[in-house]
Amino acid sequence: LTDRRQGWRLVSTQPPVMADDPESAFKEGRMKAFREQIQSFVEAAHGLENLIMEAYGPGGAALIIEAITDNKNRTVHEIKKILSDNQGKWAESGSVRWAFDPSPFVEQNAPKGEGWRAKFLQTVNDADKNKLRLLLEALENHDDVQAVYTNANF
């Protein structure tokens, strides 16, 4: 137990190990460590921001880029740089999203490929397909990017 108002606290002698379940942690006297670990997870997640960015790739393919970042300005700048280096163009909010239907899983951290579904497929010629593949690869390799969706017909 702790009481910071009175200046005393009981310090756990157990190492802070994540228990398989809270009940076993409580039984083994590790509930405090369990709570501290949960709190550290919450603090680590605090300050992260979800971004949904829109762009056009080679051949006019529409792109939706989902990212989670601790610094929105840095991430947006880096994504714009990747787009410009790979013949893509930044699009204003709403100018690409109309071409996609959000699946019911978008709000629940959908697995890759299930968050946005194209309303129609965009035909892209072979030269642009290769450029688009390079762009998609560069975007997916960015640390903050969680998923990239396109309406290109591969």
Side-chain angles (χ1 to χ4, degrees), residues 117-148:
R117 299 184 198 284
K119 291 180 181 176
F120 61 91
L121 294 178
Q122 174 74 29
T123 304
V124 180
N125 67 39
D126 290 336
D128 287 335
K129 280 182 188 178
N130 291 332
K131 294 174 186 175
L132 183 58
R133 282 189 178 109
L134 292 173
L135 172 59
L136 293 174
E137 184 179 329
L139 288 169
E140 289 173 350
N141 286 334
H142 190 281
D143 289 337
D144 293 343
V145 173
Q146 303 301 304
V148 181

mmCIF file of all heavy atoms in Angstrom, residues 117-148:
data_model
loop_
_atom_site.group_PDB
_atom_site.id
_atom_site.type_symbol
_atom_site.label_atom_id
_atom_site.label_comp_id
_atom_site.label_asym_id
_atom_site.label_seq_id
_atom_site.Cartn_x
_atom_site.Cartn_y
_atom_site.Cartn_z
ATOM 1 N N ARG A 117 -11.690 -0.034 -48.379
ATOM 2 C CA ARG A 117 -11.932 -0.796 -49.609
ATOM 3 C C ARG A 117 -12.215 0.190 -50.736
ATOM 4 O O ARG A 117 -13.045 1.096 -50.584
ATOM 5 C CB ARG A 117 -13.109 -1.736 -49.428
ATOM 6 C CG ARG A 117 -12.895 -2.754 -48.331
ATOM 7 C CD ARG A 117 -14.060 -3.735 -48.272
ATOM 8 N NE ARG A 117 -14.111 -4.442 -47.011
ATOM 9 C CZ ARG A 117 -13.314 -5.429 -46.662
ATOM 10 N NH1 ARG A 117 -12.372 -5.820 -47.467
ATOM 11 N NH2 ARG A 117 -13.452 -6.029 -45.502
ATOM 12 N N ALA A 118 -11.541 -0.003 -51.870
ATOM 13 C CA ALA A 118 -11.733 0.879 -53.018
ATOM 14 C C ALA A 118 -13.134 0.700 -53.586
ATOM 15 O O ALA A 118 -13.614 -0.420 -53.736
ATOM 16 C CB ALA A 118 -10.690 0.591 -54.094
ATOM 17 N N LYS A 119 -13.800 1.810 -53.905
ATOM 18 C CA LYS A 119 -15.124 1.749 -54.532
ATOM 19 C C LYS A 119 -15.011 1.291 -55.978
ATOM 20 O O LYS A 119 -15.914 0.669 -56.499
ATOM 21 C CB LYS A 119 -15.805 3.119 -54.476
ATOM 22 C CG LYS A 119 -16.205 3.544 -53.082
ATOM 23 C CD LYS A 119 -16.871 4.903 -53.119
ATOM 24 C CE LYS A 119 -17.248 5.365 -51.723
ATOM 25 N NZ LYS A 119 -17.812 6.723 -51.729
ATOM 26 N N PHE A 120 -13.902 1.663 -56.605
ATOM 27 C CA PHE A 120 -13.632 1.249 -57.982
ATOM 28 C C PHE A 120 -12.130 1.071 -58.124
ATOM 29 O O PHE A 120 -11.355 1.660 -57.385
ATOM 30 C CB PHE A 120 -14.151 2.293 -58.983
ATOM 31 C CG PHE A 120 -13.506 3.627 -58.816
ATOM 32 C CD1 PHE A 120 -12.358 3.951 -59.519
ATOM 33 C CD2 PHE A 120 -14.023 4.585 -57.948
ATOM 34 C CE1 PHE A 120 -11.730 5.179 -59.362
ATOM 35 C CE2 PHE A 120 -13.417 5.816 -57.785
ATOM 36 C CZ PHE A 120 -12.272 6.110 -58.497
ATOM 37 N N LEU A 121 -11.727 0.237 -59.071
ATOM 38 C CA LEU A 121 -10.295 0.011 -59.283
ATOM 39 C C LEU A 121 -9.788 0.898 -60.411
ATOM 40 O O LEU A 121 -10.449 1.068 -61.427
ATOM 41 C CB LEU A 121 -10.032 -1.460 -59.597
ATOM 42 C CG LEU A 121 -10.314 -2.425 -58.456
ATOM 43 C CD1 LEU A 121 -10.053 -3.861 -58.905
ATOM 44 C CD2 LEU A 121 -9.466 -2.100 -57.235
ATOM 45 N N GLN A 122 -8.616 1.444 -60.215
ATOM 46 C CA GLN A 122 -7.959 2.306 -61.189
ATOM 47 C C GLN A 122 -6.997 1.463 -62.012
ATOM 48 O O GLN A 122 -6.119 0.807 -61.455
ATOM 49 C CB GLN A 122 -7.190 3.415 -60.463
ATOM 50 C CG GLN A 122 -6.334 4.298 -61.332
ATOM 51 C CD GLN A 122 -7.164 5.272 -62.137
ATOM 52 O OE1 GLN A 122 -8.244 5.666 -61.720
ATOM 53 N NE2 GLN A 122 -6.668 5.647 -63.287
ATOM 54 N N THR A 123 -7.144 1.465 -63.310
ATOM 55 C CA THR A 123 -6.213 0.746 -64.180
ATOM 56 C C THR A 123 -4.943 1.571 -64.328
ATOM 57 O O THR A 123 -5.002 2.767 -64.609
ATOM 58 C CB THR A 123 -6.843 0.495 -65.566
ATOM 59 O OG1 THR A 123 -8.069 -0.215 -65.366
ATOM 60 C CG2 THR A 123 -5.918 -0.309 -66.444
ATOM 61 N N VAL A 124 -3.806 0.913 -64.118
ATOM 62 C CA VAL A 124 -2.507 1.585 -64.183
ATOM 63 C C VAL A 124 -1.649 0.835 -65.190
ATOM 64 O O VAL A 124 -1.592 -0.399 -65.174
ATOM 65 C CB VAL A 124 -1.835 1.580 -62.789
ATOM 66 C CG1 VAL A 124 -0.499 2.278 -62.831
ATOM 67 C CG2 VAL A 124 -2.741 2.231 -61.757
ATOM 68 N N ASN A 125 -0.974 1.580 -66.086
ATOM 69 C CA ASN A 125 -0.129 0.913 -67.084
ATOM 70 C C ASN A 125 1.104 0.293 -66.436
ATOM 71 O O ASN A 125 1.420 0.577 -65.277
ATOM 72 C CB ASN A 125 0.242 1.872 -68.231
ATOM 73 C CG ASN A 125 1.136 3.002 -67.780
ATOM 74 O OD1 ASN A 125 2.041 2.810 -66.965
ATOM 75 N ND2 ASN A 125 0.891 4.192 -68.310
ATOM 76 N N ASP A 126 1.817 -0.549 -67.177
ATOM 77 C CA ASP A 126 2.940 -1.308 -66.610
ATOM 78 C C ASP A 126 4.050 -0.431 -66.045
ATOM 79 O O ASP A 126 4.603 -0.727 -64.989
ATOM 80 C CB ASP A 126 3.519 -2.260 -67.659
ATOM 81 C CG ASP A 126 2.572 -3.409 -67.976
ATOM 82 O OD1 ASP A 126 1.729 -3.720 -67.107
ATOM 83 O OD2 ASP A 126 2.674 -3.987 -69.071
ATOM 84 N N ALA A 127 4.387 0.643 -66.747
ATOM 85 C CA ALA A 127 5.457 1.529 -66.264
ATOM 86 C C ALA A 127 5.066 2.164 -64.924
ATOM 87 O O ALA A 127 5.882 2.247 -63.999
ATOM 88 C CB ALA A 127 5.766 2.599 -67.305
ATOM 89 N N ASP A 128 3.813 2.605 -64.848
ATOM 90 C CA ASP A 128 3.348 3.229 -63.609
ATOM 91 C C ASP A 128 3.179 2.203 -62.489
ATOM 92 O O ASP A 128 3.313 2.538 -61.316
ATOM 93 C CB ASP A 128 2.044 3.990 -63.844
ATOM 94 C CG ASP A 128 2.262 5.284 -64.619
ATOM 95 O OD1 ASP A 128 3.394 5.827 -64.552
ATOM 96 O OD2 ASP A 128 1.312 5.762 -65.267
ATOM 97 N N LYS A 129 2.857 0.951 -62.841
ATOM 98 C CA LYS A 129 2.739 -0.101 -61.820
ATOM 99 C C LYS A 129 4.058 -0.274 -61.078
ATOM 100 O O LYS A 129 4.087 -0.397 -59.854
ATOM 101 C CB LYS A 129 2.341 -1.440 -62.447
ATOM 102 C CG LYS A 129 0.883 -1.572 -62.745
ATOM 103 C CD LYS A 129 0.580 -2.950 -63.308
ATOM 104 C CE LYS A 129 -0.846 -3.011 -63.800
ATOM 105 N NZ LYS A 129 -1.166 -4.309 -64.396
ATOM 106 N N ASN A 130 5.165 -0.284 -61.817
ATOM 107 C CA ASN A 130 6.475 -0.442 -61.183
ATOM 108 C C ASN A 130 6.794 0.745 -60.279
ATOM 109 O O ASN A 130 7.304 0.579 -59.167
ATOM 110 C CB ASN A 130 7.566 -0.627 -62.232
ATOM 111 C CG ASN A 130 7.450 -1.961 -62.939
ATOM 112 O OD1 ASN A 130 6.951 -2.935 -62.365
ATOM 113 N ND2 ASN A 130 7.881 -2.015 -64.187
ATOM 114 N N LYS A 131 6.490 1.948 -60.758
ATOM 115 C CA LYS A 131 6.720 3.144 -59.941
ATOM 116 C C LYS A 131 5.832 3.130 -58.697
ATOM 117 O O LYS A 131 6.273 3.489 -57.604
ATOM 118 C CB LYS A 131 6.435 4.402 -60.763
ATOM 119 C CG LYS A 131 7.404 4.617 -61.916
ATOM 120 C CD LYS A 131 6.971 5.782 -62.766
ATOM 121 C CE LYS A 131 7.832 5.915 -64.000
ATOM 122 N NZ LYS A 131 7.338 6.970 -64.898
ATOM 123 N N LEU A 132 4.597 2.687 -58.876
ATOM 124 C CA LEU A 132 3.671 2.630 -57.750
ATOM 125 C C LEU A 132 4.122 1.598 -56.721
ATOM 126 O O LEU A 132 4.059 1.838 -55.521
ATOM 127 C CB LEU A 132 2.252 2.314 -58.241
ATOM 128 C CG LEU A 132 1.157 2.296 -57.182
ATOM 129 C CD1 LEU A 132 1.072 3.624 -56.453
ATOM 130 C CD2 LEU A 132 -0.182 1.952 -57.824
ATOM 131 N N ARG A 133 4.616 0.470 -57.180
ATOM 132 C CA ARG A 133 5.128 -0.551 -56.252
ATOM 133 C C ARG A 133 6.290 -0.001 -55.421
ATOM 134 O O ARG A 133 6.385 -0.262 -54.221
ATOM 135 C CB ARG A 133 5.565 -1.795 -57.021
ATOM 136 C CG ARG A 133 4.421 -2.668 -57.438
ATOM 137 C CD ARG A 133 4.901 -4.003 -57.998
ATOM 138 N NE ARG A 133 3.768 -4.816 -58.347
ATOM 139 C CZ ARG A 133 3.385 -5.100 -59.578
ATOM 140 N NH1 ARG A 133 4.076 -4.639 -60.613
ATOM 141 N NH2 ARG A 133 2.323 -5.857 -59.795
ATOM 142 N N LEU A 134 7.181 0.757 -56.077
ATOM 143 C CA LEU A 134 8.301 1.366 -55.355
ATOM 144 C C LEU A 134 7.801 2.372 -54.318
ATOM 145 O O LEU A 134 8.316 2.433 -53.193
ATOM 146 C CB LEU A 134 9.271 2.030 -56.326
ATOM 147 C CG LEU A 134 10.061 1.083 -57.236
ATOM 148 C CD1 LEU A 134 10.855 1.883 -58.268
ATOM 149 C CD2 LEU A 134 10.976 0.204 -56.413
ATOM 150 N N LEU A 135 6.796 3.158 -54.693
ATOM 151 C CA LEU A 135 6.224 4.132 -53.768
ATOM 152 C C LEU A 135 5.581 3.420 -52.580
ATOM 153 O O LEU A 135 5.816 3.791 -51.419
ATOM 154 C CB LEU A 135 5.196 5.015 -54.476
ATOM 155 C CG LEU A 135 4.377 5.954 -53.585
ATOM 156 C CD1 LEU A 135 5.265 6.907 -52.813
ATOM 157 C CD2 LEU A 135 3.361 6.709 -54.419
ATOM 158 N N LEU A 136 4.787 2.398 -52.842
ATOM 159 C CA LEU A 136 4.129 1.658 -51.763
ATOM 160 C C LEU A 136 5.151 1.026 -50.831
ATOM 161 O O LEU A 136 4.994 1.053 -49.607
ATOM 162 C CB LEU A 136 3.202 0.587 -52.341
ATOM 163 C CG LEU A 136 1.980 1.102 -53.105
ATOM 164 C CD1 LEU A 136 1.231 -0.060 -53.736
ATOM 165 C CD2 LEU A 136 1.070 1.916 -52.214
ATOM 166 N N GLU A 137 6.214 0.486 -51.393
ATOM 167 C CA GLU A 137 7.272 -0.122 -50.584
ATOM 168 C C GLU A 137 7.946 0.924 -49.695
ATOM 169 O O GLU A 137 8.187 0.689 -48.509
ATOM 170 C CB GLU A 137 8.302 -0.794 -51.486
ATOM 171 C CG GLU A 137 9.391 -1.522 -50.751
ATOM 172 C CD GLU A 137 10.376 -2.193 -51.687
ATOM 173 O OE1 GLU A 137 9.988 -2.611 -52.790
ATOM 174 O OE2 GLU A 137 11.557 -2.284 -51.298
ATOM 175 N N ALA A 138 8.238 2.092 -50.270
ATOM 176 C CA ALA A 138 8.877 3.157 -49.488
ATOM 177 C C ALA A 138 7.963 3.633 -48.359
ATOM 178 O O ALA A 138 8.429 3.861 -47.236
ATOM 179 C CB ALA A 138 9.246 4.324 -50.402
ATOM 180 N N LEU A 139 6.687 3.766 -48.635
ATOM 181 C CA LEU A 139 5.750 4.191 -47.595
ATOM 182 C C LEU A 139 5.633 3.140 -46.496
ATOM 183 O O LEU A 139 5.658 3.465 -45.310
ATOM 184 C CB LEU A 139 4.372 4.473 -48.200
ATOM 185 C CG LEU A 139 4.253 5.728 -49.058
ATOM 186 C CD1 LEU A 139 2.936 5.739 -49.814
ATOM 187 C CD2 LEU A 139 4.401 6.975 -48.211
ATOM 188 N N GLU A 140 5.518 1.884 -46.883
ATOM 189 C CA GLU A 140 5.371 0.813 -45.896
ATOM 190 C C GLU A 140 6.615 0.621 -45.049
ATOM 191 O O GLU A 140 6.540 0.119 -43.935
ATOM 192 C CB GLU A 140 4.968 -0.483 -46.589
ATOM 193 C CG GLU A 140 3.537 -0.433 -47.105
ATOM 194 C CD GLU A 140 3.149 -1.634 -47.941
ATOM 195 O OE1 GLU A 140 4.033 -2.451 -48.295
ATOM 196 O OE2 GLU A 140 1.949 -1.763 -48.247
ATOM 197 N N ASN A 141 7.769 1.027 -45.560
ATOM 198 C CA ASN A 141 9.009 0.909 -44.802
ATOM 199 C C ASN A 141 9.195 2.043 -43.784
ATOM 200 O O ASN A 141 10.101 1.980 -42.961
ATOM 201 C CB ASN A 141 10.217 0.857 -45.739
ATOM 202 C CG ASN A 141 10.328 -0.485 -46.434
ATOM 203 O OD1 ASN A 141 9.855 -1.506 -45.938
ATOM 204 N ND2 ASN A 141 10.948 -0.481 -47.603
ATOM 205 N N HIS A 142 8.357 3.064 -43.863
ATOM 206 C CA HIS A 142 8.436 4.162 -42.904
ATOM 207 C C HIS A 142 7.968 3.651 -41.545
ATOM 208 O O HIS A 142 6.947 2.970 -41.440
ATOM 209 C CB HIS A 142 7.579 5.337 -43.379
ATOM 210 C CG HIS A 142 7.780 6.570 -42.581
ATOM 211 N ND1 HIS A 142 7.181 6.758 -41.346
ATOM 212 C CD2 HIS A 142 8.511 7.678 -42.806
ATOM 213 C CE1 HIS A 142 7.526 7.931 -40.861
ATOM 214 N NE2 HIS A 142 8.344 8.515 -41.727
ATOM 215 N N ASP A 143 8.702 3.984 -40.481
ATOM 216 C CA ASP A 143 8.415 3.466 -39.145
ATOM 217 C C ASP A 143 7.020 3.821 -38.633
ATOM 218 O O ASP A 143 6.410 3.038 -37.909
ATOM 219 C CB ASP A 143 9.453 3.963 -38.142
ATOM 220 C CG ASP A 143 10.811 3.326 -38.350
ATOM 221 O OD1 ASP A 143 10.874 2.229 -38.937
ATOM 222 O OD2 ASP A 143 11.811 3.933 -37.930
ATOM 223 N N ASP A 144 6.514 5.001 -38.967
ATOM 224 C CA ASP A 144 5.231 5.440 -38.434
ATOM 225 C C ASP A 144 4.031 4.918 -39.228
ATOM 226 O O ASP A 144 2.911 4.923 -38.730
ATOM 227 C CB ASP A 144 5.164 6.971 -38.387
ATOM 228 C CG ASP A 144 6.143 7.563 -37.388
ATOM 229 O OD1 ASP A 144 6.628 6.821 -36.513
ATOM 230 O OD2 ASP A 144 6.427 8.774 -37.482
ATOM 231 N N VAL A 145 4.254 4.502 -40.461
ATOM 232 C CA VAL A 145 3.152 4.054 -41.314
ATOM 233 C C VAL A 145 2.681 2.675 -40.868
ATOM 234 O O VAL A 145 3.477 1.749 -40.726
ATOM 235 C CB VAL A 145 3.576 4.045 -42.802
ATOM 236 C CG1 VAL A 145 2.497 3.411 -43.667
ATOM 237 C CG2 VAL A 145 3.877 5.464 -43.270
ATOM 238 N N GLN A 146 1.378 2.575 -40.653
ATOM 239 C CA GLN A 146 0.775 1.311 -40.225
ATOM 240 C C GLN A 146 0.190 0.544 -41.410
ATOM 241 O O GLN A 146 0.243 -0.679 -41.430
ATOM 242 C CB GLN A 146 -0.335 1.577 -39.203
ATOM 243 C CG GLN A 146 0.143 2.338 -37.982
ATOM 244 C CD GLN A 146 1.245 1.598 -37.238
ATOM 245 O OE1 GLN A 146 1.072 0.468 -36.851
ATOM 246 N NE2 GLN A 146 2.381 2.248 -37.078
ATOM 247 N N ALA A 147 -0.378 1.256 -42.381
ATOM 248 C CA ALA A 147 -0.992 0.612 -43.539
ATOM 249 C C ALA A 147 -1.109 1.608 -44.673
ATOM 250 O O ALA A 147 -1.233 2.822 -44.452
ATOM 251 C CB ALA A 147 -2.361 0.072 -43.179
ATOM 252 N N VAL A 148 -1.063 1.090 -45.907
ATOM 253 C CA VAL A 148 -1.269 1.899 -47.101
ATOM 254 C C VAL A 148 -2.302 1.188 -47.964
ATOM 255 O O VAL A 148 -2.174 -0.016 -48.216
ATOM 256 C CB VAL A 148 0.032 2.094 -47.898
ATOM 257 C CG1 VAL A 148 -0.209 2.961 -49.129
ATOM 258 C CG2 VAL A 148 1.125 2.692 -47.022
#
